[in-house]
Amino acid sequence: MNPINQQRWKRFSKNKMAMISLKVFTLLTLISLCSELFFNDKALVVYYKGEFHFPFIQNAIPAKTFGLETQSEANYLDLQKQFRQTPEEGNWLMMPFIPYHYRSVSKVDSTPIDLELKNKEDFYNTQIEQLQQNLEANKHQIYELKLTRNHALGKIDSQKYHPLPPTLATKHFLGTDSTGRDILAQLSYGYRIAITFALILLLINYFIGIAIGCAMGYLGSWYDLLMQRIIEVLSNIPFLYIIIIIASILRSNGFTMGFWALVGIYVSLGWMGMTWYMRTATLKEKAREYVLAARAAGASNTRIVFTHILPNVVSLLVTFAPFSISGAIVGLTSLDFLGYGLPKDYPSWGSLIKLGTDNIQSPWIITSIVFAMVLILFLINAVGEGIRQAFDPKKISHFE
Amino acid sequence: MIPTFLVITILVYFLCRTVPGGPIERAKERIMMAQLEEGSQSSGSYSDELDKFATGELSAEDKADLMAQYNITDNPWSDYFSWLGRTLSGDLGISATYNEPVTKLIINRMPISIFYGIISMFFIYGICVPLGVIKALKNESLIDNASSFFVFVAYAIPGYAFGAILLVYFAGQWQWLPLGGFVSDQYDSLSFWGKISDLLQHAILPMSCYLIGSFAFMTMLVKNTMLDNLSYDYIRTALAKGVPYKKAVFKHALDNSLIPLATHFGNSISIIISGSFLIEKVFNIEGFGLLGFNSLESRDYEVVMGVLAISCVLQMVGNLLSDICVAYVDPRVKFD
């Protein structure tokens, strides 16, 4: 690290909010990148009859391995219960912190509600009252009462329906969605996709930006003019329009727009920003004395660009990175929200927002996703602001 | 500017032509459905009838009629230029889903987006400029840090996500405000004050979403440029030669801080008129933005092209307005 960057780092690390944000952001991102370890319906470790198994990294282990009758893979939550009932056999297993994958659909449990009935005539009145009380007590739970003659004897089966509000007992800390999938698990897996998308986009855009932008600034002349016109046209294209049209073309030909196709479209319509910046920066540097000196000393164009101009320009790119990342996350989320982003079977923040607006009676869905989004974007922006200040040594004066 | 307009419209026009499900194919489908129904009613041997009737083929005459109605020939280039010619003369064609002239559709939707745009602009400039100035003058004081936190949070929320959570709580859970739309269904039968309160009730939530995004951005813009300007030598010089503090700040520094706002003004004009369709979609407001999105979804290409052309023109007008504003506030910029 050269002295300038050391000083920048010093300035950055003095900024408390930026440092804390950076730490929290890194922690959350690491957790999300290892989602399988924390949010999974497969056990982390199973100890069965003297042997260790690691279902979360292995391909489906047949349930027979653990002495179960079923053909498919074991339900590890049930298996855990079974092991606990027979502690003398010495088998045990360890589940992840949240025992749900983003795909896993949890079952609903039906709990009987006890009714105290004096006679049969009371039955229907009580039923209605009870129903109302239940709805009062559990505002968001919809009960379906299956009523038969037998129930008049005192019990009514009630069936809870997804989405269910957050409960500690079932380890759905943020509740479930309308198909019974855990919200927290979806948030984590969805964030992993969004941040991967943003980082890949960042790398490609920077690569293109540095290559084309530096060439534009350094070479100038007709190449610069041509690229200027192309950039001007491309940056005026209504982005969402094109994506929606392309998505519908692909769809009607039987393709779905996968992750990489989306990256491709985003890059082809979004590389201009960085390129434009690199062009201006290179133009500025090119006119500085050290370039002139290098040239006078007989340095070739390649040498001037790669050893003199680039290092001076590229370090400034760091200041843009956080904002590019948050922009890409927001972009992907809005596309998913509109239904033109990643295919349906991907976990995504955008489809969670859609789900939240569709299930107005279940506010925990929208609350979780919006809170998660605000948190992550806040952290990224705070880090970005810290970097910006660290790179900008201007003293701010006060007048009184 | 004009080449940009041409390239964008050509690109979208040709993309639209390649997407299946355009008006001709939709007409085919309709005919096929009608024939299927007819076939199933007239005889018992269903599958025979199905073969006979449900080819979905249009007669040559019908096809020619449809093609004439939607201005399509077999040559896309000549179609594009005829579209361009009609557009320049103010005729944007007929919508396939609404069966109305596109111009009329767009003019009907415009006031809704303009309504939101103008009010939000009023609030944004009315709040952000004073707040930004205060934050700059009291830099790193309690007021500055506290408001910075809120500005940061506001900056992190995308407008439509904020809208979604507002909708779920204020309209869904607590039912204080209506669930969406521009006005309620019985709007026409309301009294004058009833109309106004109805309009306001519907406007509060979308308005906050429009505000939240630009609010944070604008406040920080004002604050940062103001800080920059305050640290420049000309302010020190002004103070040194005896200009009162208030005058130095509000005359010299503030005037110069408005320049970046002015460059932004044109952009906000085009956002005002075209609206944000994400917010319009969340609140189901039938504005200009949602019209474009819905027409994309229903493959109504005359409308898509019309909306696109108008937004392009708006953007150009916006850029021009920005330039004029900058020239107005910045004496260094002059038009030749």
Side-chain angles (χ1 to χ4, degrees):
Chain A
M1 221 197 277
N2 64 31
I4 298 182
N5 284 341
Q6 271 170 15
Q7 215 166 34
R8 282 169 178 161
W9 171 249
K10 222 180 191 175
R11 269 200 297 269
F12 180 81
S13 48
K14 263 188 205 156
N15 188 335
K16 246 189 210 162
M17 190 158 91
M19 267 320 261
I20 295 174
S21 300
L22 183 65
K23 282 174 190 159
V24 178
F25 170 77
T26 319
L27 182 73
L28 290 178
T29 309
L30 282 179
I31 290 180
S32 158
L33 288 179
C34 312
S35 284
E36 272 83 4
L37 265 177
F38 298 94
F39 310 92
N40 210 337
D41 53 1
K42 293 184 184 182
L44 296 176
V45 188
V46 181
Y47 180 76
Y48 185 72
K49 289 192 176 159
E51 271 182 65
F52 283 103
H53 300 267
F54 303 96
F56 81 107
I57 35 168
Q58 279 165 294
N59 287 332
I61 301 175
K64 280 177 194 161
T65 322
F66 307 119
L68 295 174
E69 294 297 311
T70 43
Q71 284 294 319
S72 55
E73 208 181 350
N75 180 332
Y76 290 100
L77 275 180
D78 291 350
L79 193 65
Q80 189 175 31
K81 270 179 209 156
Q82 198 185 315
F83 283 175
R84 277 182 188 159
Q85 280 161 7
T86 54
E88 65 280 358
E89 288 173 20
N91 301 325
W92 54 269
L93 65 81
M94 198 172 88
M95 287 304 282
F97 175 57
I98 307 268
Y100 304 103
H101 196 260
Y102 77 90
R103 282 189 300 254
S104 46
V105 172
S106 58
K107 284 173 282 181
V108 284
D109 37 303
S110 53
T111 31
I113 304 170
D114 288 318
L115 290 181
E116 282 177 34
L117 297 174
K118 287 173 194 120
N119 53 49
K120 278 194 174 181
E121 280 73 44
D122 255 3
F123 174 69
Y124 288 103
N125 297 331
T126 322
Q127 171 204 332
I128 291 163
E129 272 173 31
Q130 190 79 29
L131 189 62
Q132 279 169 345
Q133 278 170 14
N134 266 322
L135 288 177
E136 273 313 302
N138 310 281
K139 255 188 188 167
H140 314 297
Q141 299 179 9
I142 299 163
Y143 287 87
E144 189 197 44
L145 299 177
K146 290 180 194 157
L147 296 165
T148 59
R149 284 184 142 230
N150 294 339
H151 288 126
L153 299 174
K155 274 194 174 179
I156 288 180
D157 280 338
S158 79
Q159 172 94 55
K160 287 180 193 168
Y161 276 92
H162 288 297
L164 290 175
T167 42
L168 294 180
T170 56
K171 286 203 174 172
H172 285 300
F173 292 121
L174 295 177
T176 61
D177 71 2
S178 48
T179 48
R181 294 174 303 173
D182 186 58
I183 302 270
L184 187 57
Q186 288 194 64
L187 280 182
S188 174
Y189 283 91
Y191 172 64
R192 181 163 73 177
I193 292 210
I195 194 79
T196 324
F197 179 79
L199 289 174
I200 292 175
L201 212 61
L202 182 85
L203 284 181
I204 303 179
N205 275 341
Y206 275 20
F207 182 75
I208 297 180
I210 291 171
I212 299 183
C214 274
M216 281 172 77
Y218 193 77
L219 299 178
S221 77
W222 65 269
Y223 175 76
D224 188 28
L225 281 177
L226 176 77
M227 292 312 284
Q228 272 186 43
R229 291 289 87 73
I230 293 180
I231 288 177
E232 191 183 303
V233 169
L234 277 180
S235 45
N236 276 310
I237 283 183
F239 190 56
L240 283 165
Y241 259 57
I242 297 286
I243 287 203
I244 291 172
I245 297 177
I246 292 178
S248 25
I249 294 179
L250 286 177
R251 243 175 238 178
S252 50
N253 290 326
F255 297 107
T256 42
M257 188 146 63
F259 183 81
W260 290 104
L262 209 58
V263 170
I265 297 178
Y266 251 84
V267 166
S268 56
L269 294 174
W271 54 274
M272 294 85 65
M274 210 30 69
T275 311
W276 198 250
Y277 174 75
M278 286 303 295
R279 173 185 176 268
T280 338
T282 316
L283 269 180
K284 254 188 211 163
E285 294 298 312
K286 192 185 158 191
R288 300 273 286 270
E289 284 83 356
Y290 69 86
V291 175
L292 204 67
R295 185 167 312 207
S300 68
N301 277 344
T302 343
R303 193 182 159 82
I304 293 178
V305 169
F306 283 99
T307 58
H308 295 294
I309 295 185
L310 265 185
N312 281 310
V313 181
V314 168
S315 67
L316 290 177
L317 284 182
V318 182
T319 52
F320 292 92
F323 301 104
S324 314
I325 291 176
S326 62
I329 292 179
V330 171
L332 183 68
T333 310
S334 352
L335 266 187
D336 282 338
F337 170 71
L338 293 171
Y340 288 94
L342 294 166
K344 286 260 177 313
D345 49 342
Y346 278 78
S348 91
W349 281 12
S351 45
L352 272 178
I353 297 184
K354 180 90 184 89
L355 210 69
T357 41
D358 290 346
N359 292 289
I360 268 183
Q361 292 310 315
S362 332
W364 57 89
I365 303 179
I366 195 77
T367 315
S368 322
I369 172 64
V370 174
F371 182 77
M373 222 170 150
V374 171
L375 177 70
I376 289 291
L377 295 177
F378 178 88
L379 294 176
I380 298 178
N381 289 343
V383 173
E385 186 61 21
I387 296 180
R388 201 189 61 75
Q389 280 172 9
F391 272 69
D392 178 22
K394 211 181 319 175
K395 279 267 174 279
I396 286 155
S397 36
H398 297 266
F399 295 103
E400 287 305 330
Chain B
M1 263 298 136
I2 290 167
T4 312
F5 179 80
L6 288 180
V7 173
I8 291 171
T9 47
I10 288 176
L11 186 72
V12 175
Y13 192 87
F14 278 80
L15 274 175
C16 286
R17 283 287 292 262
T18 51
V19 184
I24 305 271
E25 273 163 56
R26 219 148 358 121
K28 274 187 193 170
E29 254 166 47
R30 267 204 303 274
I31 289 172
M32 192 156 95
M33 291 310 287
Q35 285 170 335
L36 269 179
E37 262 171 37
E38 229 172 74
S40 61
Q41 278 163 6
S42 62
S43 90
S45 60
Y46 183 75
S47 57
D48 288 353
E49 293 292 332
L50 201 134
D51 289 342
K52 216 183 290 173
F53 285 103
T55 51
E57 275 310 310
L58 296 167
S59 68
E61 246 173 75
D62 286 347
K63 197 174 178 190
D65 275 356
L66 277 173
M67 283 173 90
Q69 190 187 342
Y70 295 113
N71 302 301
I72 301 171
T73 63
D74 289 327
N75 179 356
W77 280 104
S78 74
D79 290 353
Y80 171 73
F81 285 109
S82 80
W83 174 84
L84 192 65
R86 277 184 291 119
T87 303
L88 292 180
S89 66
D91 169 24
L92 291 171
I94 289 169
S95 152
T97 37
Y98 300 93
N99 250 328
E100 274 183 79
V102 176
T103 331
K104 196 180 149 200
L105 276 176
I106 290 178
I107 289 176
N108 282 345
R109 302 295 184 92
M110 276 292 186
I112 298 178
S113 297
I114 293 179
F115 170 80
Y116 282 116
I118 289 187
I119 298 186
S120 62
M121 192 146 139
F122 178 76
F123 276 112
I124 288 169
Y125 285 104
I127 298 175
C128 295
V129 176
L131 185 63
V133 171
I134 293 173
K135 280 167 69 67
L137 290 179
K138 311 243 170 192
N139 189 30
E140 282 168 16
S141 69
L142 185 67
I143 300 177
D144 179 45
N145 289 336
S147 61
S148 277
F149 182 77
F150 283 107
V151 166
F152 253 62
V153 172
Y155 186 68
I157 312 180
Y160 74 98
F162 186 57
I165 197 166
L166 287 182
L167 189 75
V168 167
Y169 279 99
F170 284 91
Q173 290 296 304
W174 304 324
Q175 302 188 346
W176 293 344
L177 294 164
L179 267 170
F182 185 60
V183 287
S184 38
D185 294 335
Q186 68 273 17
Y187 181 72
D188 288 325
S189 62
L190 293 171
S191 65
F192 176 71
W193 291 112
K195 274 183 183 173
I196 287 189
S197 87
D198 185 61
L199 198 63
L200 284 181
Q201 278 185 9
H202 283 84
I204 290 176
L205 296 184
M207 211 68 238
S208 347
C209 301
Y210 275 107
L211 283 177
I212 194 162
S214 0
F215 168 76
F217 176 78
M218 286 291 187
T219 310
M220 288 319 280
L221 187 71
V222 174
K223 184 198 163 182
N224 288 336
T225 44
M226 191 74 185
L227 270 183
D228 277 354
N229 275 307
L230 284 176
S231 68
Y232 282 151
D233 289 342
Y234 71 90
I235 295 285
R236 198 188 309 157
T237 315
L239 288 173
K241 73 176 185 190
V243 175
Y245 175 68
K246 269 189 183 161
K247 199 182 169 196
V249 169
F250 291 103
K251 188 82 193 73
H252 298 324
L254 186 60
D255 273 8
N256 282 313
S257 305
L258 292 180
I259 296 172
L261 273 191
T263 48
H264 227 266
F265 183 74
N267 276 340
S268 19
I269 289 276
S270 54
I271 290 171
I272 279 174
I273 301 174
S274 53
S276 158
F277 74 87
L278 281 164
I279 295 174
E280 286 181 3
K281 189 171 157 52
V282 169
F283 290 101
N284 205 11
I285 302 164
E286 300 271 315
F288 182 76
L290 196 60
L291 178 71
F293 179 70
N294 285 343
S295 61
L296 271 172
E297 288 224 297
S298 59
R299 313 262 193 282
D300 192 348
Y301 293 123
E302 298 279 324
V303 183
V304 171
M305 291 304 294
V307 169
L308 182 79
I310 298 222
S311 358
C312 273
V313 172
L314 282 177
Q315 204 162 2
M316 289 189 232
V317 173
N319 286 345
L320 189 70
L321 267 178
S322 287
D323 288 349
I324 294 175
C325 287
V326 170
Y328 183 73
V329 293
D330 189 348
R332 286 168 299 187
V333 178
K334 289 238 160 58
F335 288 113
D336 290 325

